[in-house]
Amino acid sequence: MATARRGTIRRWRGRVLFSVRGRTTIVTVTVSALILVLVFVLLMLLTQDWLENRVWRRSEHTTERVAADIVRGRSAAALVTEPDETRLVQVITPEARVVAASEALRDDPPLVSEETIKGKLLVDRRSCPDFMDDCVWIFGTRLRTSPWGPGVLVVSATPMPTLINVWLLPVGVSLIMAALLALIAWWTWHTIGRAFVPVDEIRAEMVDFRARGLGHRVPVPRAGGAIQGLAETVNDTLERLEEATDRERRFISDASHDLRNPIAGLQTRLEAALGEPDDYEWRPMVESALRDAQRLNEIVVDLLELSRLDSRAPVPVERLDLAALTRREVERRPAGVPIATDLEPGVPVRANPVRLARVLGNLLSNAERHATDRIEVTVARDGAEAVLEVLDDGSGIPPEARERVFERFARLPESRSRDPQGTGLGLPIAREIAEIYGGTLRIVDSPVGARFVLRLPIPDEREDRSGNGESPR
């Protein structure tokens, strides 16, 4: 029982002190308590001031009424106080001698001393006489004539209020404020708890991902706000992770398939060569094995390039003239399908020259596989973009397959028939490089053949001056 109690205490201590819900409640209650204490102090000061004003008015009213009765000749009845008046009244001579007093002050010394009233026509002050338990507010006025002679002072005194005297008010206010603090604490704890219910549901659903897989989605609350945005972001992230996992799975499957064929062919040819007699003409078999090895090398090189692109490792970049780079790459191509160029000079881009040359090489290799008689390459400026187009006069690519050719290892039937040894990675690599440098690579409509359009941003002078020579991605 004691162990369970200690465990419960530790659990609640953790919830109160270390959880967002608990810390928020503590901060809210603390701030509210400080505000309520300030309100309490101000309320008590205002109450004290109001009570003192009430006491002063009571003393003033009593003095004025008694003085008026004495002046009218009703001195005998003047000192009989009314219910709304103070019961402490004295008539004091200039020598500070009491000549008349109300019942409550009979036989008591004067409320004010001779030094206090000497030469004064009006007394309005707080006083704490020795013969009284409480301090009083004294209001007095001097009469020119009276039954007791000239210059007497009519004085009324009302006990000063204290919060002890009116203890019910501070106690009541304190109880109300304590109730408000309790209500604030409960409301904050309850509200924060309800606000985090969707978060707890999201966490509980994410715990089950190992059993349910990435195809599972967390519930999305429809109340709007940050939590709905969090749930939608989690689901979007899960969707991207699922797509990335599926893409990786397909990638591994396709890579294994493409690697298996040349490896099997190479192994078969080498085993066959070893089984032949010593005088066997082995050169054609070795040449075939060499082609398989070259294909393996091409696949491995493409896979390594894709790995580097996926990691977004920074590589050196520089300002390039796209037309000059294109001219060099076209001139390096082996003799084959004629390539016509229309290159606008002075179209700059910022990129790694090796990677950009690979993009152009992959586009030209693809065009050479499908072209019939001619390939056209153009470079031009289009506003703030540099545009490179590669057009062949082949059979073209159907609109529904234009995005599929950019998938890894995806190859159309015509491509397989024209180049059985292709890897299906050239165009995906080209698009990845284009996107790394903030550009795009798309297939657009063309009257004949396939038109690949590469667009890259043209850097301004400030970007060139502030560039650090490293790719940002």
Side-chain angles (χ1 to χ4, degrees), residues 374-385:
R374 180 181 175 85
I375 298 174
E376 295 181 7
V377 179
T378 62
V379 172
R381 178 192 294 261
D382 183 11
E385 292 182 324

PDB file of all heavy atoms in Angstrom, residues 374-385:
ATOM      1  N   ARG A 374      18.126  13.613 -86.963  1.00  0.00           N
ATOM      2  CA  ARG A 374      18.610  14.931 -86.548  1.00  0.00           C
ATOM      3  C   ARG A 374      18.282  15.171 -85.064  1.00  0.00           C
ATOM      4  O   ARG A 374      17.261  14.724 -84.551  1.00  0.00           O
ATOM      5  CB  ARG A 374      17.938  16.007 -87.413  1.00  0.00           C
ATOM      6  CG  ARG A 374      18.345  17.449 -87.111  1.00  0.00           C
ATOM      7  CD  ARG A 374      17.558  18.372 -88.039  1.00  0.00           C
ATOM      8  NE  ARG A 374      17.798  19.782 -87.731  1.00  0.00           N
ATOM      9  CZ  ARG A 374      18.814  20.482 -88.202  1.00  0.00           C
ATOM     10  NH1 ARG A 374      19.688  19.886 -89.010  1.00  0.00           N
ATOM     11  NH2 ARG A 374      18.952  21.765 -87.906  1.00  0.00           N
ATOM     12  N   ILE A 375      19.195  15.909 -84.409  1.00  0.00           N
ATOM     13  CA  ILE A 375      18.985  16.372 -83.032  1.00  0.00           C
ATOM     14  C   ILE A 375      19.241  17.876 -83.010  1.00  0.00           C
ATOM     15  O   ILE A 375      20.207  18.361 -83.619  1.00  0.00           O
ATOM     16  CB  ILE A 375      19.934  15.667 -82.042  1.00  0.00           C
ATOM     17  CG1 ILE A 375      19.681  14.166 -82.010  1.00  0.00           C
ATOM     18  CG2 ILE A 375      19.784  16.251 -80.638  1.00  0.00           C
ATOM     19  CD1 ILE A 375      20.670  13.390 -81.168  1.00  0.00           C
ATOM     20  N   GLU A 376      18.367  18.615 -82.315  1.00  0.00           N
ATOM     21  CA  GLU A 376      18.539  20.062 -82.193  1.00  0.00           C
ATOM     22  C   GLU A 376      18.753  20.425 -80.725  1.00  0.00           C
ATOM     23  O   GLU A 376      18.026  19.964 -79.850  1.00  0.00           O
ATOM     24  CB  GLU A 376      17.302  20.793 -82.715  1.00  0.00           C
ATOM     25  CG  GLU A 376      17.069  20.615 -84.212  1.00  0.00           C
ATOM     26  CD  GLU A 376      15.841  21.374 -84.692  1.00  0.00           C
ATOM     27  OE1 GLU A 376      15.274  22.147 -83.865  1.00  0.00           O
ATOM     28  OE2 GLU A 376      15.443  21.182 -85.855  1.00  0.00           O
ATOM     29  N   VAL A 377      19.752  21.257 -80.496  1.00  0.00           N
ATOM     30  CA  VAL A 377      20.059  21.739 -79.143  1.00  0.00           C
ATOM     31  C   VAL A 377      20.055  23.256 -79.178  1.00  0.00           C
ATOM     32  O   VAL A 377      20.752  23.865 -80.006  1.00  0.00           O
ATOM     33  CB  VAL A 377      21.423  21.222 -78.649  1.00  0.00           C
ATOM     34  CG1 VAL A 377      21.722  21.768 -77.253  1.00  0.00           C
ATOM     35  CG2 VAL A 377      21.461  19.711 -78.642  1.00  0.00           C
ATOM     36  N   THR A 378      19.253  23.880 -78.293  1.00  0.00           N
ATOM     37  CA  THR A 378      19.176  25.344 -78.237  1.00  0.00           C
ATOM     38  C   THR A 378      19.413  25.805 -76.797  1.00  0.00           C
ATOM     39  O   THR A 378      19.051  25.119 -75.838  1.00  0.00           O
ATOM     40  CB  THR A 378      17.805  25.859 -78.704  1.00  0.00           C
ATOM     41  OG1 THR A 378      16.797  25.363 -77.826  1.00  0.00           O
ATOM     42  CG2 THR A 378      17.512  25.401 -80.125  1.00  0.00           C
ATOM     43  N   VAL A 379      20.042  26.967 -76.695  1.00  0.00           N
ATOM     44  CA  VAL A 379      20.239  27.641 -75.407  1.00  0.00           C
ATOM     45  C   VAL A 379      19.767  29.075 -75.585  1.00  0.00           C
ATOM     46  O   VAL A 379      20.158  29.746 -76.549  1.00  0.00           O
ATOM     47  CB  VAL A 379      21.712  27.619 -74.967  1.00  0.00           C
ATOM     48  CG1 VAL A 379      21.913  28.510 -73.733  1.00  0.00           C
ATOM     49  CG2 VAL A 379      22.156  26.200 -74.652  1.00  0.00           C
ATOM     50  N   ALA A 380      18.914  29.545 -74.665  1.00  0.00           N
ATOM     51  CA  ALA A 380      18.385  30.905 -74.759  1.00  0.00           C
ATOM     52  C   ALA A 380      18.047  31.415 -73.363  1.00  0.00           C
ATOM     53  O   ALA A 380      17.970  30.651 -72.393  1.00  0.00           O
ATOM     54  CB  ALA A 380      17.145  30.937 -75.655  1.00  0.00           C
ATOM     55  N   ARG A 381      17.879  32.723 -73.302  1.00  0.00           N
ATOM     56  CA  ARG A 381      17.473  33.378 -72.057  1.00  0.00           C
ATOM     57  C   ARG A 381      15.968  33.649 -72.128  1.00  0.00           C
ATOM     58  O   ARG A 381      15.471  34.171 -73.121  1.00  0.00           O
ATOM     59  CB  ARG A 381      18.245  34.684 -71.880  1.00  0.00           C
ATOM     60  CG  ARG A 381      17.868  35.475 -70.624  1.00  0.00           C
ATOM     61  CD  ARG A 381      18.460  36.866 -70.676  1.00  0.00           C
ATOM     62  NE  ARG A 381      19.904  36.840 -70.609  1.00  0.00           N
ATOM     63  CZ  ARG A 381      20.616  37.056 -69.510  1.00  0.00           C
ATOM     64  NH1 ARG A 381      19.999  37.303 -68.382  1.00  0.00           N
ATOM     65  NH2 ARG A 381      21.931  37.032 -69.538  1.00  0.00           N
ATOM     66  N   ASP A 382      15.265  33.303 -71.059  1.00  0.00           N
ATOM     67  CA  ASP A 382      13.826  33.553 -70.974  1.00  0.00           C
ATOM     68  C   ASP A 382      13.553  34.257 -69.650  1.00  0.00           C
ATOM     69  O   ASP A 382      13.318  33.628 -68.619  1.00  0.00           O
ATOM     70  CB  ASP A 382      13.039  32.242 -71.058  1.00  0.00           C
ATOM     71  CG  ASP A 382      11.536  32.466 -71.055  1.00  0.00           C
ATOM     72  OD1 ASP A 382      11.109  33.638 -71.205  1.00  0.00           O
ATOM     73  OD2 ASP A 382      10.783  31.486 -70.902  1.00  0.00           O
ATOM     74  N   GLY A 383      13.600  35.594 -69.682  1.00  0.00           N
ATOM     75  CA  GLY A 383      13.416  36.372 -68.453  1.00  0.00           C
ATOM     76  C   GLY A 383      14.551  36.118 -67.485  1.00  0.00           C
ATOM     77  O   GLY A 383      15.726  36.369 -67.797  1.00  0.00           O
ATOM     78  N   ALA A 384      14.214  35.621 -66.303  1.00  0.00           N
ATOM     79  CA  ALA A 384      15.220  35.344 -65.275  1.00  0.00           C
ATOM     80  C   ALA A 384      15.672  33.901 -65.286  1.00  0.00           C
ATOM     81  O   ALA A 384      16.273  33.432 -64.312  1.00  0.00           O
ATOM     82  CB  ALA A 384      14.656  35.697 -63.897  1.00  0.00           C
ATOM     83  N   GLU A 385      15.422  33.186 -66.394  1.00  0.00           N
ATOM     84  CA  GLU A 385      15.785  31.774 -66.479  1.00  0.00           C
ATOM     85  C   GLU A 385      16.617  31.500 -67.722  1.00  0.00           C
ATOM     86  O   GLU A 385      16.426  32.129 -68.770  1.00  0.00           O
ATOM     87  CB  GLU A 385      14.528  30.896 -66.504  1.00  0.00           C
ATOM     88  CG  GLU A 385      13.746  30.892 -65.217  1.00  0.00           C
ATOM     89  CD  GLU A 385      12.546  29.968 -65.294  1.00  0.00           C
ATOM     90  OE1 GLU A 385      11.921  29.883 -66.374  1.00  0.00           O
ATOM     91  OE2 GLU A 385      12.235  29.324 -64.270  1.00  0.00           O
TER      92      GLU A 385
END
